[in-house]
């Protein structure tokens, strides 16, 4: 009898890809991006931010297949600071 070695825990990028697939992004696998790109994205973004960017991109193009390579450009940008948008802006001019 040879014991089966335990499966190594997934890397963060693998875990993120799993969450992206759960969120509806079928084209998401760690090998879709280079290690350098992953390193930059994971240093800038929390897992939650990555998922939110993906959801926003998918919502903006509901009938298109959105993949990891498509959202990578947005993920590589510095995260935007949270800004409060007024719900009512007075009309200017006339």
């Amino acid at each position: 009898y040879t014991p089966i070695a335990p499966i190594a825990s997934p890397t963060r990028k693998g875990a993120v890809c799993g969450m992206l697939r759960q969120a509806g992004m079928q084209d998401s696998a760690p090998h879709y991006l280079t290690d350098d790109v992953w390193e930059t994205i994971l240093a800038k973004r929390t897992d939650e931010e990555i998922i939110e960017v993906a959801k926003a991109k998918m919502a903006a193009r509901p009938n298109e297949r959105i993949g990891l390579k498509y959202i990578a450009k947005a993920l590589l940008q510095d995260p935007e600071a949270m800004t409060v948008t007024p719900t009512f802006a007075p009309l200017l001019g006339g």
Side-chain angles (χ1 to χ4, degrees):
Y1 171 75
T2 307
I4 298 172
I7 297 171
S9 62
T11 61
R12 182 172 169 213
K13 60 187 173 183
V16 166
C17 286
M19 288 186 278
L20 287 170
R21 286 190 296 277
Q22 286 181 335
M25 181 176 290
Q26 298 159 347
D27 297 330
S28 177
H31 68 273
Y32 285 4
L33 303 177
T34 66
D35 289 342
D36 289 345
V37 171
W38 271 116
E39 190 174 315
T40 303
I41 289 171
L42 296 179
K44 289 182 180 219
R45 304 278 186 165
T46 65
D47 296 355
E48 292 77 17
E49 286 175 320
I50 294 169
I51 304 307
E52 290 306 311
V53 168
K55 286 180 178 178
K57 293 289 186 185
M58 289 187 293
R61 296 175 162 221
N63 296 320
E64 294 182 34
R65 191 168 174 145
I66 303 298
L68 185 59
K69 288 182 182 180
Y70 177 80
I71 68 164
K73 184 177 178 183
L75 293 172
L76 286 167
Q77 296 172 359
D78 288 331
E80 294 180 19
M82 294 297 288
T83 55
V84 177
T85 306
T87 54
F88 173 77
L91 297 175
L92 300 176

